[in-house]
Amino acid sequence: MKAFILAAGEGKRLRPYTENLPKCKVSLAGIPLIERQIETLVKSGINDITLLTGYHSQELNYLKMSTLHNPYYHCTNMVFTLMYAMEDIADLDSVIISYGDIIYDTDII
């Protein structure tokens, strides 16, 4: 199973927290949302994870994960960003597609 995390959003409604960070890097109890999500996926046995990036994508480089970048994030939406992964998704039997700014538990996976 492979997971794709939509992490291109600006999070304009979360300003000033997202002034220089993608929305998925906003922290909850000191841990960025994206790190919580990756940890949950890995605990569920999913290690093949690709981040679909956009706004301040360089802020996600520390994660050392596979990425696909939407250079048009500022004038498109999540569906457009997901299109960057469609070629990879088409060949998969099972896939998880998730927003980068949500929290869920391994029970959901």
Side-chain angles (χ1 to χ4, degrees):
M1 182 173 297
K2 182 174 178 77
F4 293 88
I5 301 175
L6 293 162
E10 291 183 56
K12 292 178 184 175
R13 293 180 299 239
L14 292 176
R15 299 263 161 82
Y17 304 108
T18 57
E19 196 66 44
N20 297 305
L21 293 174
K23 184 169 45 169
C24 64
K25 275 212 60 188
V26 170
S27 291
L28 177 65
I31 301 170
L33 298 173
I34 190 75
E35 290 180 28
R36 289 176 179 277
Q37 192 170 132
I38 291 168
E39 180 181 331
T40 300
L41 289 167
V42 170
K43 281 182 183 176
S44 299
I46 301 166
N47 295 301
D48 191 357
I49 302 168
T50 297
L51 303 178
L52 302 170
T53 66
Y55 181 69
H56 284 296
S57 61
Q58 72 280 0
E59 294 295 326
L60 299 174
N61 291 341
Y62 76 101
L63 295 169
K64 308 261 189 260
M65 306 204 90
S66 172
T67 62
L68 293 171
H69 182 72
N70 172 8
Y72 306 105
Y73 67 87
H74 61 283
C75 62
T76 60
N77 59 27
M78 291 177 280
V79 174
F80 189 90
T81 298
L82 183 58
M83 293 300 112
Y84 280 87
M86 288 312 293
E87 195 171 296
D88 295 332
I89 292 170
D91 294 334
L92 298 173
D93 290 331
S94 56
V95 63
I96 292 176
I97 298 170
S98 179
Y99 299 116
D101 60 343
I102 61 171
I103 298 170
Y104 49 83
D105 197 307
T106 54
D107 293 345
I108 300 299
I109 304 297

